[in-house]
Amino acid sequence: MNTNIYIGSEIDPLQSVVIHRPGDELENLMPQYMERLLFDDIPYLPAIQREHDIFAAELQKTGAQVLYLKDLVVDVLQDDEKRQSFCTEFLQRYYSFEHDIYQEVLSYLKELTAEELFQTVTTGIKKKMIASKRPLHLADMIGQSYPFYVDPMTNLYFSRDAQSVIGDAVSINMMDQKARACEPFLMETVFQQHSKFVGQASHLWLNREHGYRIEGGDILVLRPDVLAIGISARTSPQAIESLARTLFTEKSAVTKVLAIELPKKRAFMHLDTVFTMVDHDKFTIHPAILGSQESVFLLEPAEDGEISITRQSHLQEALGRALDLAEVTFIPCGGGDPITAAREQWSDGANTFAVAPGKVMTYERNATTNRLLREYGLEVIEIPDSELSRGRGGPRCMTFPLYRKPL
């Protein structure tokens, strides 16, 4: 297993990537709890798995090593001591139960095999699974009672958000939504305990230690020295400033961070839902974030050890200056047509995933955007997405790249 860790650009040739195949966690979606679990619809599991398998096969065709999150975590959990510690820390960190229920849930988890444990914590622990071992409590018997002690990780196939590789360091992110709070624990376990991953990263930053929310969909590595980070509904300005300070003080290659403010709407959930890098000087973009309301800030290290923050006039100009480009090309989602752009952005038309400079993966349903990408000279690999797109995330959302070969 090649576990080199380095991301110096969104477009360098992809060498290894972590993904999660949608599983039985999606079978625990119910209409009355979709908003709580961050879904607008219920995918059909056999179909979404077929689509995801095609996605994985296309990744492999590019020459990239495809690693599955489940395999990595189960590798760690084969060790009895690590498995027991995982159970205890998982519950103590993310859940608050009455003492007797905590002990019952913990005992239940500790009896499971490694694979069963991964399956259980990701698909959710139903109250009736525990109640079968003891008398029912009144709360369990109330008709409208929420059926889970531990929520299903329904968003787990969007493996981008819980962690990020920046240069040769790893940020374990603090998720904004309760439904996704547990996800970072899985790759944190891998980086801290998997024999092939321990010590691979130069730094392992645990954002939960400072309490500022930040998600991987908002973090774009444009060049070894330049990041773009979205100020979004899921990533706070305090988190961006904290990460910038860490990067600057720990002498990483990063010397510029462009913070881009987004509308606080579900359709603009992360920066990569409206803006992605597809070539050295080309970017996909949802036109709705451009215009008079643009808010772009450049963060740089100051001589006194503090951070210099300057407001930039326009995103396109700011990118040109930061990346030393004479011209920056924006490729508008949906061709810029208001109706088509809104429709294709809803199905993540701008959420492209570059596997090499000028070679991107997209959802096939975004026909106008895909045609335009080709007109700009890009190679486009289309993925079927009738079910994948129901989760409101695209190809970039579904990938956690570990290593890209520097050009």
Side-chain angles (χ1 to χ4, degrees):
M1 182 187 297
N2 175 13
T3 54
N4 287 334
I5 294 170
Y6 182 79
I7 303 293
S9 169
E10 294 289 312
I11 61 170
D12 284 344
L14 182 70
Q15 302 296 297
S16 62
V17 61
V18 177
I19 61 176
H20 173 68
R21 186 176 191 255
D24 288 342
E25 65 273 7
L26 295 181
E27 296 286 76
N28 283 330
L29 277 169
M30 296 172 290
Q32 63 268 45
Y33 299 119
M34 283 196 297
E35 183 176 359
R36 172 177 178 148
L37 297 174
L38 310 180
F39 270 72
D40 301 307
D41 202 351
I42 299 176
Y44 177 48
L45 184 60
I48 198 173
Q49 288 180 328
R50 285 195 297 269
E51 291 173 355
H52 195 271
D53 289 344
I54 292 171
F55 175 61
E58 291 294 338
L59 285 169
Q60 290 173 326
K61 287 179 186 177
T62 69
Q65 179 187 37
V66 175
L67 305 173
Y68 284 89
L69 175 64
K70 176 181 177 179
D71 295 339
L72 300 177
V73 176
V74 169
D75 282 348
V76 174
L77 298 181
Q78 297 294 344
D79 181 280
D80 289 344
E81 185 176 343
K82 292 176 181 177
R83 188 167 65 254
Q84 301 300 305
S85 297
F86 178 96
C87 297
T88 302
E89 187 170 358
F90 175 79
L91 290 182
Q92 288 181 346
R93 189 186 296 186
Y94 298 108
Y95 289 92
S96 177
F97 301 121
E98 295 177 9
H99 179 71
D100 62 332
I101 297 175
Y102 168 82
Q103 292 297 333
E104 290 162 356
V105 174
L106 181 61
S107 296
Y108 177 81
L109 291 179
K110 286 188 172 183
E111 293 174 0
L112 303 175
T113 66
E115 188 156 343
E116 289 170 344
L117 180 56
F118 179 88
Q119 180 79 357
T120 299
V121 299
T122 57
T123 60
I125 300 178
K126 299 183 182 75
K127 291 178 178 177
K128 66 179 183 180
M129 294 164 63
I130 306 301
S132 65
K133 300 179 179 298
R134 60 161 173 79
L136 288 172
H137 292 286
L138 176 61
D140 301 323
M141 302 174 68
I142 297 174
Q144 298 303 312
S145 174
Y146 186 62
F148 296 98
Y149 279 136
V150 171
D151 294 336
M153 298 188 197
T154 52
N155 296 269
L156 198 57
Y157 76 94
F158 299 126
S159 56
R160 169 74 58 166
D161 297 317
Q163 59 285 306
S164 308
V165 175
I166 302 170
D168 59 359
V170 175
S171 170
I172 302 296
N173 300 326
M174 181 177 178
M175 309 293 277
D176 177 69
Q177 297 290 306
K178 181 180 178 181
R180 304 196 68 183
C182 303
E183 292 178 34
F185 183 58
L186 300 177
M187 276 307 297
E188 178 183 335
T189 297
V190 172
F191 281 114
Q192 289 184 328
Q193 300 187 51
H194 196 293
S195 60
K196 300 287 181 63
F197 281 78
V198 172
Q200 289 287 314
S202 63
H203 295 87
L204 189 64
W205 301 314
L206 305 176
N207 286 297
R208 60 183 166 79
E209 294 181 349
H210 60 56
Y212 300 134
R213 67 186 191 277
I214 188 168
E215 300 191 359
D218 281 313
I219 301 173
L220 277 66
V221 182
L222 306 183
R223 210 171 62 180
D225 59 330
V226 183
L227 300 185
I229 306 181
I231 309 169
S232 71
R234 303 281 180 90
T235 293
S236 70
Q238 294 90 342
I240 297 173
E241 189 169 344
S242 175
L243 178 59
R245 189 179 305 278
T246 298
L247 291 165
F248 298 157
T249 57
E250 293 189 1
K251 306 300 181 184
S252 73
V254 177
T255 58
K256 299 175 184 177
V257 174
L258 285 171
I260 304 167
E261 187 173 12
L262 303 175
K264 304 302 188 288
K265 300 178 181 179
R266 178 156 170 73
F268 300 77
M269 188 185 313
H270 294 123
L271 180 60
D272 70 1
T273 64
V274 293
F275 174 80
T276 49
M277 189 178 194
V278 296
D279 209 340
H280 298 284
D281 57 354
K282 296 182 179 69
F283 300 82
T284 60
I285 194 159
H286 182 37
I289 70 168
L290 299 175
S292 59
Q293 301 303 312
E294 289 179 61
S295 293
V296 183
F297 304 88
L298 176 63
L299 284 67
E300 299 176 286
E303 292 183 359
D304 58 0
E306 293 300 315
I307 294 178
S308 166
I309 305 175
T310 55
R311 183 185 289 271
Q312 305 294 290
S313 54
H314 297 285
L315 176 58
Q316 203 162 7
E317 295 175 6
L319 285 166
R321 286 192 295 269
L323 297 172
D324 305 311
L325 294 171
E327 185 176 356
V328 171
T329 299
F330 281 172
I331 303 174
C333 177
D337 176 78
I339 295 176
T340 307
R343 283 169 52 86
E344 295 201 355
Q345 190 272 336
W346 181 249
S347 53
D348 288 279
N351 190 258
T352 59
F353 178 60
V355 294
K359 184 175 182 178
V360 297
M361 304 182 79
T362 66
Y363 280 159
E364 66 180 5
R365 73 189 305 136
N366 299 313
T368 300
T369 304
N370 293 345
R371 183 178 67 249
L372 193 58
L373 288 167
R374 291 187 174 101
E375 289 174 3
Y376 276 88
L378 280 83
E379 180 180 350
V380 179
I381 304 168
E382 295 186 3
I383 305 300
D385 65 292
S386 293
E387 300 302 310
L388 285 171
S389 61
R390 292 181 190 272
R392 303 274 76 82
R396 187 180 189 273
C397 298
M398 295 190 296
T399 55
F400 169 45
L402 287 173
Y403 185 72
R404 290 181 181 269
K405 184 178 180 179
L407 291 175

